[in-house]
């Protein structure tokens, strides 16, 4: 079907228009692509063909220049793209610049600057607390309701969806073991998360307030924070995650601009503690997003985590990340933390779904506690859009391959 005739209600219709980077067929060059239905528009070529002033932002090998251009430009480019793919008079010019999605290679859409990962789901934090600290009086740590807990991850190992993930090796030591051993992780897990992409940087010493979120953050994507639970459990005290997570983080190939998610904005869960002023969002516009995630192992859906249940919002995370004066750079990426809802089938990690291996999942491909070599994990999601339509957030997928 020609791309202009994308069916009404397609989750990748003209109301969505996410951005990615692909190898332009017939060339060795990378270019910015915009997804429409099951096609990719060569956005740089379209800009040139139509004499658009935005060619300098779109005729690029990655999203960096567009990310850095700022909110007004983001809205203007989006408005232009919407016209290019919907106004009949553009059809003859634009239609030849589409490529079938199945025929193109997609790449990491931007150079990841700093990578931070948060811990914003109360359900996930309580589950992890019960599993890792069963003797603690409270499953939440005393700071949890006062600040969005996070850590700095490794940007150089962020990979695009479809990249194989090599099982990591490292030290592990169960409490009863006399000494640590070294070898491939035997508790390889996933974390279903949403990633937020920073477009516009900030000045050192100038914290970004809650209201600055949409001036700095361009859009969101899906993120799988692969986690080796055995390595993590032995190494994380007292400085937090390190080698148990830094081997790979997978990102979806499509970045959905925040402008496509207006209808998905919701209020976050009710706050149970008074917040310090820089995090207090009671007077702010709704900071939550109603995103419906799905986790599949070898094609079998095992969980459907609801992002709307996240206690801390992306705006609060950005405010907290910069409140000490740390600056932002174009391409900074921050993960929401594992998305887990209140129900058992809404948990975003195998750690929680199997209760640390106690309750194996029954899959058509066999029982699973943690991941086996060859397993393919796919996270996908959608959000409510205009007129009852869905905004597709694509997927992030990865296959586990044996340790080297
Ligand atoms: Ca995580």
């Amino acid at each position: 079907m020609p791309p202009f005739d994308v069916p009404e209600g397609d989750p990748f219709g003209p109301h969505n228009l996410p951005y990615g980077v692909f190898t332009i067929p017939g060339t060795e060059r990378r270019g910015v692509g915009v997804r429409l239905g099951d096609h990719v528009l060569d956005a740089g070529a379209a800009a040139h063909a139509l004499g658009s002033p935005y060619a300098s932002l779109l005729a690029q090998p990655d999203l960096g220049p567009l990310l850095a251009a700022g909110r007004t430009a983001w809205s203007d480019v989006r408005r232009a793209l919407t016209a290019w793919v919907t106004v009949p008079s553009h059809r003859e010019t634009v239609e030849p610049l589409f490529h079938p999605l199945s025929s193109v290679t997609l790449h990491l859409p931007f150079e990841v600057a700093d990578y931070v990962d948060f811990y914003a789901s109360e359900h996930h934090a309580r589950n992890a607390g019960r599993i890792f600290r069963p003797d603690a009086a409270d499953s939440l740590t005393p700071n949890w309701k006062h600040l969005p807990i996070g850590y700095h991850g490794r940007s150089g190992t962020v990979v695009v969806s479809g990249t194989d993930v090599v099982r990591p090796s490292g030290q592990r030591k169960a409490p009863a073991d006399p000494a640590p051993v070294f070898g491939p992780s035997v508790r390889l897990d996933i974390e279903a998360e949403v990633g937020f992409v920073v477009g516009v940087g900030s000045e050192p010493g100038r914290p970004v307030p809650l209201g600055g979120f949409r001036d700095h953050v361009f859009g969101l994507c899906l993120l799988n924070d692969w986690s080796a639970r055995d390595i993590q459990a032995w190494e994380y005290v007292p400085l937090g995650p390190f080698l148990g997570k830094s081997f790979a983080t997978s990102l979806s190939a499509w970045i959905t601009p925040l402008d496509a998610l207006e209808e998905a904005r919701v209020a976050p869960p009710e706050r149970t503690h008074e917040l310090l002023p820089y995090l207090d969002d009671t007077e702010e516009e709704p900071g939550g997003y109603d995103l419906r995630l799905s986790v599949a192992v070898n094609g079998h859906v095992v969980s459907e985590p609801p992002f709307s249940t996240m206690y801390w919002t992306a705006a609060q995370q950005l405010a907290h990340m910069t409140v000490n004066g740390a600056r932002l750079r174009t391409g900074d990426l921050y993960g929401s933390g594992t998305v887990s809802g209140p129900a058992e089938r809404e948990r975003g990690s195998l750690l929680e779904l199997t209760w640390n291996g106690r309750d194996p999942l029954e899959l058509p491909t066999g029982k699973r506690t943690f991941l086996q070599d060859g397993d393919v994990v796919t996270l996908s999601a959608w959000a409510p859009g205009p007129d009852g339509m869905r905004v597709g957030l694509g997927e992030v997928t990865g296959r586990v391959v044996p340790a080297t």
Side-chain angles (χ1 to χ4, degrees):
M1 180 175 297
F4 260 63
D5 303 323
V6 60
E8 179 87 20
D10 187 298
F12 291 95
H15 61 292
N16 188 343
L17 302 181
Y19 296 90
V21 166
F22 69 118
T23 299
I24 299 166
T27 78
E28 301 283 301
R29 288 185 295 114
R30 294 185 181 190
V32 171
V34 172
R35 180 168 174 181
L36 181 69
D38 52 7
H39 285 77
V40 181
L41 174 67
D42 182 342
H48 277 306
L50 293 166
S52 164
Y54 306 120
S56 61
L57 300 180
L58 295 174
Q60 297 285 350
D62 69 25
L63 296 182
L66 178 62
L67 293 181
R71 187 174 172 185
T72 302
W74 301 338
S75 298
D76 291 347
V77 170
R78 180 171 166 77
R79 207 173 299 116
L81 279 163
T82 304
W84 300 349
V85 303
T86 54
V87 176
S89 60
H90 291 321
R91 183 171 187 145
E92 198 178 337
T93 307
V94 172
E95 200 140 76
L97 304 175
F98 279 97
H99 304 276
L101 184 58
S102 59
S103 74
V104 304
T105 302
L106 298 168
H107 305 282
L108 200 61
F110 60 98
E111 185 178 359
V112 180
D114 283 303
Y115 167 49
V116 167
D117 195 22
F118 284 96
Y119 192 51
S121 159
E122 180 173 355
H123 305 290
H124 171 71
R126 287 194 182 280
N127 288 336
R130 288 187 192 109
I131 290 168
F132 281 127
R133 297 182 306 279
D135 301 326
D138 189 347
S139 55
L140 291 184
T141 51
N143 54 0
W144 201 92
K145 287 283 178 90
H146 296 280
L147 54 81
I149 294 175
Y151 68 94
H152 281 95
R154 192 169 187 86
S155 56
T157 50
V158 176
V159 296
V160 73
S161 175
T163 307
D164 285 347
V165 171
V166 178
R167 179 179 297 273
S169 292
Q171 281 198 27
R172 62 176 183 273
K173 179 190 169 304
D177 293 345
V181 298
F182 182 90
S185 170
V186 295
R187 289 176 175 254
L188 182 58
D189 196 358
I190 54 114
E191 292 190 340
E193 303 197 18
V194 174
F196 291 84
V197 181
V198 171
V200 176
S202 64
E203 294 298 316
R206 294 281 186 87
V208 176
L210 289 171
F213 169 70
R214 288 157 64 81
D215 291 327
H216 289 273
V217 172
F218 173 78
L220 56 77
C221 56
L222 297 175
L223 185 153
N224 184 349
D225 176 24
W226 303 89
S227 300
R229 300 300 181 194
D230 41 0
I231 298 172
Q232 181 187 357
W234 170 230
E235 75 175 359
Y236 89 105
V237 180
L239 288 186
F242 188 39
L243 303 177
K245 288 170 175 285
S246 64
F247 55 94
T249 305
S250 297
L251 214 60
S252 55
W254 297 105
I255 311 297
T256 305
L258 295 184
D259 282 344
L261 294 165
E262 278 301 292
E263 285 79 6
R265 297 171 73 188
V266 291
E270 197 174 338
R271 310 305 184 185
T272 54
H273 289 57
E274 192 172 334
L275 295 172
L276 287 167
Y278 79 94
L279 291 172
D280 183 355
D281 63 356
T282 46
E283 301 296 317
E284 301 289 330
E285 47 191 24
Y289 281 96
D290 179 10
L291 314 177
R292 322 286 177 88
L293 277 64
S294 175
V295 181
V297 179
N298 298 328
H300 182 75
V301 174
V302 298
S303 177
E304 293 181 310
F307 190 78
S308 60
T309 61
M310 299 296 270
Y311 190 86
W312 295 103
T313 70
Q316 289 173 316
Q317 291 169 335
L318 193 73
H320 187 62
M321 193 184 341
T322 57
V323 76
N324 65 346
R327 73 176 178 119
L328 299 171
R329 290 186 296 172
T330 296
D332 281 356
L333 169 69
Y334 62 103
S336 60
T338 309
V339 184
S340 290
E344 285 191 16
R345 294 275 293 182
E346 294 177 342
R347 295 168 176 169
S349 68
L350 294 175
L351 173 78
E352 298 163 87
L353 286 164
T354 72
W355 212 253
N356 204 17
R358 185 192 70 188
D359 309 322
L361 294 174
E362 303 278 353
L363 303 182
T365 48
K367 279 190 181 181
R368 283 296 181 287
T369 52
F370 293 94
L371 296 170
Q372 297 183 2
D373 291 343
D375 281 349
V376 175
V377 178
T378 303
L379 314 179
S380 54
W382 60 274
D387 305 323
M389 289 187 288
R390 292 182 174 195
V391 178
L393 299 183
E395 62 173 39
V396 55
T397 186
R399 184 170 61 112
V400 178
V401 301
T404 46

